[in-house]
Amino acid sequence: DIDAAKITMEQLFEKFKEKKLPKMSVSSQGSLKAAFKHCKALHNKKYKEIRSFHMQDCIDNCGCKYSTQWAIKNLFGHLDKFALELDVINKAYSQLITAEPIPETTKQPFTDEEIQTLWENLSVEWVDSILIFIYSGFRISELLNMKTEQIELENGTFTGGVKTKSGKNRIVPIHSKILPLVKNRIETSNKYLFEYNEKRMCTSQYYTLWNNVMNALNMHHTPHECRHTFRSKLDSAGANKKCIDLMMGHKSKDVGERVYTHKTLEELKDAIELFN
């Protein structure tokens, strides 16, 4: 029950939040809400009067880098689609806007020599956590929030993950090389795989410990580069692409793989062991 001729961008976004936003991932919801704040100049403008140059001005003058620019572009794409459904507009001007190109990744995977150095320095506190990150492919938030009850030592699996539908509650085999490290962590923890002062560790606390290890071993990496290392090593070893996507919580780009290919736990275990 709307007046299509008079509905403003803000009113349209409020209806969008009610009807469409709850169906999206938490990260997407946050991104679109933040992008909306950068479009304050258009909030009270009738949506049917907004053209591509208005949208482009919001992107060009947001004062932020490519990630925010793409979030704004994405917002207008969603709002145009919603407005078309409601017969507010008959043309999607968001198709004509552009954002700053996404730069090439600067992430550097750990080298074989660096991984060997980590194994040789297990006596250094928290080195074991870095190896668990490297051999599991989990994001930092996923492992820091992982409870010991989510780990099945008998089956040799982690069950966890966040962020996307493909990433949530995914099963990742525990690589044989880190199994003793995981066992030791479980035996010395109360509730979470990684704890600090017997409590769940926050990201900032872990970054401090991470930086201590990097300085001690003269390395320069971020926790997310463990995830890059995991995918890179499996890819180089010839692991099945679908298995890699499943373990990392990625949605397969190939429709055939996404819809028709099913992998058993044993196949995932065979794939992860190729990382050697």
Side-chain angles (χ1 to χ4, degrees):
D1 183 22
I2 63 169
D3 187 338
K6 297 180 180 180
I7 190 169
T8 64
M9 179 182 177
E10 185 171 20
Q11 292 170 333
L12 182 68
F13 185 70
E14 288 302 314
K15 290 187 176 293
F16 176 78
K17 282 201 302 184
E18 176 189 349
K19 301 292 184 181
K20 302 292 184 178
L21 213 57
K23 300 175 183 178
M24 300 180 182
S25 67
V26 175
S27 59
S28 294
Q29 292 181 38
S31 175
L32 293 174
K33 288 177 181 178
F36 178 72
K37 294 178 181 179
H38 285 284
C39 304
K40 191 173 182 179
L42 300 179
H43 285 184
N44 295 321
K45 190 173 183 63
K46 295 176 183 178
Y47 197 79
K48 73 169 190 173
E49 296 178 355
I50 294 177
R51 299 293 183 263
S52 58
F53 68 88
H54 294 122
M55 301 175 183
Q56 193 67 54
D57 279 345
C58 290
I59 293 173
D60 294 342
N61 298 315
C62 70
C64 300
K65 296 294 185 179
Y66 72 92
S67 58
T68 301
Q69 292 184 25
W70 277 93
I72 297 171
K73 184 178 186 299
N74 192 31
L75 169 68
F76 281 117
H78 281 293
L79 290 182
D80 269 3
K81 185 178 179 181
F82 188 47
L84 285 168
E85 289 181 20
L86 300 177
D87 289 326
V88 173
I89 59 175
N90 53 29
K91 181 177 180 180
Y93 287 99
S94 59
Q95 296 177 0
L96 305 175
I97 59 179
T98 60
E100 184 178 311
I102 298 175
E104 293 291 328
T105 180
T106 57
K107 301 295 184 184
Q108 292 294 325
F110 284 76
T111 64
D112 290 341
E113 292 75 16
E114 288 175 325
I115 295 174
Q116 184 60 35
T117 297
L118 291 171
W119 282 113
E120 293 170 355
N121 287 275
L122 276 174
S123 60
V124 177
E125 196 173 15
W126 293 98
V127 163
D128 66 323
S129 70
I130 298 177
L131 289 166
I132 293 173
F133 271 107
I134 289 175
Y135 283 82
S136 67
F138 280 109
R139 299 177 179 88
I140 182 172
S141 60
E142 293 173 333
L143 273 187
L144 293 187
N145 287 303
M146 184 168 290
K147 298 177 181 178
T148 54
E149 65 188 33
Q150 295 172 256
I151 303 169
E152 289 284 342
L153 292 178
E154 187 174 338
N155 293 331
T157 60
F158 298 102
T159 300
V162 295
K163 196 169 183 180
T164 65
K165 183 178 180 181
S166 301
K168 291 178 181 177
N169 298 317
R170 67 184 186 275
I171 295 176
V172 177
I174 303 174
H175 195 290
S176 59
K177 295 190 76 170
I178 61 168
L179 184 58
L181 307 182
V182 175
K183 284 182 178 178
N184 184 61
R185 279 284 170 183
I186 291 176
E187 290 170 0
T188 56
S189 296
N190 292 321
K191 185 176 181 181
Y192 294 91
L193 178 63
F194 296 135
E195 295 179 343
Y196 191 74
N197 291 334
E198 300 182 350
K199 295 181 180 179
R200 185 181 71 82
M201 180 181 296
C202 68
T203 304
S204 60
Q205 288 172 329
Y206 186 75
Y207 266 103
T208 299
L209 299 169
W210 173 280
N211 290 332
N212 290 340
V213 175
M214 291 293 106
N215 291 332
L217 301 182
N218 193 29
M219 294 183 186
H220 306 281
H221 290 286
T222 65
H224 197 69
E225 287 176 333
C226 293
R227 192 164 158 83
H228 282 260
T229 304
F230 180 78
R231 184 171 193 104
S232 177
K233 295 298 182 185
L234 285 178
D235 185 69
S236 296
N240 179 277
K241 295 293 190 293
K242 178 64 176 180
C243 287
I244 297 175
D245 285 338
L246 286 171
M247 290 188 286
M248 296 198 71
H250 286 165
K251 187 175 182 179
S252 294
K253 295 179 181 179
D254 182 86
V255 176
E257 285 189 357
R258 189 165 69 241
V259 178
Y260 300 111
T261 307
H262 302 277
K263 295 296 178 186
T264 66
L265 178 57
E266 289 305 315
E267 287 176 294
L268 294 180
K269 287 182 176 181
D270 289 341
I272 204 169
E273 290 297 330
L274 292 173
F275 179 178
N276 190 351

